[in-house]
Amino acid sequence: MTLVTDQEVLTPKSPKKSPSPWVIARRKFFKNKLAMISLIFLLLVIILSFLAPYITTKDIVRVDFTKISQPPSSENWLGTDTNGRDVFTRMLYAGRSSLTVGLSCMFFIVLIGTTVGAISGYFGGKIDQILMRFTDFVLMFPFMVFVIVLNTILIGKISGLWTLIIVISLLMWGSVARIVRSRVLAEKENEYILASQSIGCKSSKIIIKHLLPNVASTIIVQATLLMAVTIVAESGLSFLGFGVPADTPSWGNMLFEARNSDVLKDKVWMWVPPATAITLVILSINFIGEGLKDALNPKSRR
């Protein structure tokens, strides 16, 4: 028989703390097998790409006329291209370029779009009208045409890779600004925002410490999907010859170099690896984005 002391009777048991929304979201995301496999694959691609100098020592630029268009072998795992360069080595370095464009553009687009959207939604009035009309002006630009024109103008003045990053970022932030603005407009009507305003909190503090954390889930999902969009944009522009400079390998300009009909028919090792890499990376990012969207949705099942 177990004796219960007076102290135990008088001391109430502390209620069990419920997990925070971020903990719940993390658990839900980890349970999503497709999203987790995609995340592991994407991290593996990023690690291999950025460790390229330590994985292979072959030259990515030097032309070797003795090894032109050779099929895969023990020496060249994915064969060589029309200039005798190792396709596997160029694949790794190309991943660095394409992923750098995707990650950098994602960061700058989210930064600009979130800043404009948060300021516009919070202050409203004339500030909102001016910023949203400017956003509409940016969204009206025909994307491909202006990227090609601006990239051509800026090339040579800035590093070729960063020229493309800057141009894409300046032309793609409009949709993020609109989404963030709509969320801020709804969020700022809540009591905790009105209470912060009533006690004299600075607008910048309210936006950074109160509003943005509560719209972070939307921003995270948008950022993930934007990475996929910008990688596709880089690949398409490089394939057309207006993206990453030819002396810097990327998955897009690897496809550009393999556009001849004889290469497409008889030398598939030149274009299948970069095409497969683009496809798998984009699918992985989309699956991760869908997993995050489901995990961060408060209405979905716990």
Side-chain angles (χ1 to χ4, degrees):
M1 182 175 178
T2 305
L3 297 176
V4 180
T5 64
D6 293 339
Q7 184 66 27
E8 289 176 332
V9 172
L10 294 174
T11 305
K13 293 183 179 179
S14 58
K16 187 178 179 181
K17 290 184 179 180
S18 59
S20 68
W22 290 105
V23 172
I24 295 170
R26 186 175 69 246
R27 290 174 183 172
K28 288 164 64 180
F29 182 77
F30 286 161
K31 289 178 181 178
N32 190 323
K33 293 181 180 180
L34 188 58
M36 287 304 300
I37 292 170
S38 300
L39 179 61
I40 292 169
F41 172 77
L42 182 62
L43 289 174
L44 182 62
V45 172
I46 292 172
I47 291 168
L48 290 175
S49 297
F50 285 92
L51 291 180
Y54 303 98
I55 297 172
T56 177
T57 56
K58 294 181 180 178
D59 199 327
I60 59 171
V61 178
R62 187 173 66 88
V63 176
D64 189 346
F65 292 107
T66 63
K67 296 183 179 180
I68 289 176
S69 303
Q70 290 185 354
S73 63
S74 58
E75 184 181 358
N76 304 106
W77 294 352
L78 297 178
T80 59
D81 62 11
T82 52
N83 291 310
R85 298 170 297 191
D86 183 60
V87 173
F88 175 72
T89 301
R90 287 180 62 79
M91 274 285 297
L92 293 179
Y93 280 90
R96 294 176 71 182
S97 301
S98 296
L99 291 169
T100 297
V101 170
L103 290 167
S104 301
C105 288
M106 176 190 74
F107 173 78
F108 289 120
I109 290 169
V110 169
L111 179 63
I112 298 169
T114 300
T115 303
V116 173
I119 292 172
S120 178
Y122 179 77
F123 290 104
K126 291 184 178 179
I127 294 176
D128 182 33
Q129 291 179 10
I130 293 169
L131 289 176
M132 283 302 101
R133 296 300 75 77
F134 181 66
T135 302
D136 292 339
F137 178 69
V138 172
L139 288 171
M140 285 191 301
F141 285 152
F143 177 73
M144 279 293 185
V145 174
F146 274 87
V147 168
I148 291 171
V149 171
L150 289 175
N151 197 32
T152 304
I153 293 171
L154 294 175
I155 200 77
K157 298 178 182 179
I158 310 173
S159 170
L161 194 65
W162 283 101
T163 299
L164 187 63
I165 290 169
I166 292 169
V167 170
I168 291 176
S169 301
L170 290 175
L171 293 175
M172 286 190 68
W173 57 266
S175 58
V176 177
R178 281 190 163 280
I179 292 169
V180 172
R181 172 183 176 270
S182 64
R183 286 298 311 275
V184 169
L185 282 172
E187 198 69 28
K188 76 173 186 178
E189 300 300 326
N190 289 328
E191 292 180 357
Y192 72 94
I193 298 295
L194 298 175
S196 299
Q197 291 171 340
S198 66
I199 61 175
C201 283
K202 292 182 179 179
S203 299
S204 58
K205 184 177 180 180
I206 294 173
I207 292 172
I208 294 170
K209 290 192 173 183
H210 299 294
L211 280 175
L212 291 183
N214 284 285
V215 301
S217 58
T218 302
I219 296 171
I220 290 169
V221 174
Q222 287 299 313
T224 307
L225 299 177
L226 274 169
M227 183 178 172
V229 171
T230 52
I231 289 175
V232 171
E234 179 277 319
S235 301
L237 288 164
S238 297
F239 180 75
L240 295 172
F242 296 101
V244 177
D247 59 346
T248 304
S250 77
W251 291 331
N253 60 26
M254 285 184 74
L255 293 174
F256 173 74
E257 293 169 0
R259 68 193 183 282
N260 295 330
S261 58
D262 63 320
V263 173
L264 293 173
K265 291 179 181 178
D266 304 323
K267 300 167 185 173
V268 294
W269 63 85
M270 293 186 195
W271 63 269
V272 168
T276 303
I278 293 170
T279 303
L280 293 179
V281 167
I282 298 306
L283 284 174
S284 298
I285 294 171
N286 281 320
F287 288 140
I288 293 168
E290 288 299 317
L292 288 171
K293 185 178 179 181
D294 179 63
L296 294 169
N297 183 4
K299 295 183 181 179
S300 63
R301 180 174 60 87
R302 293 191 178 188

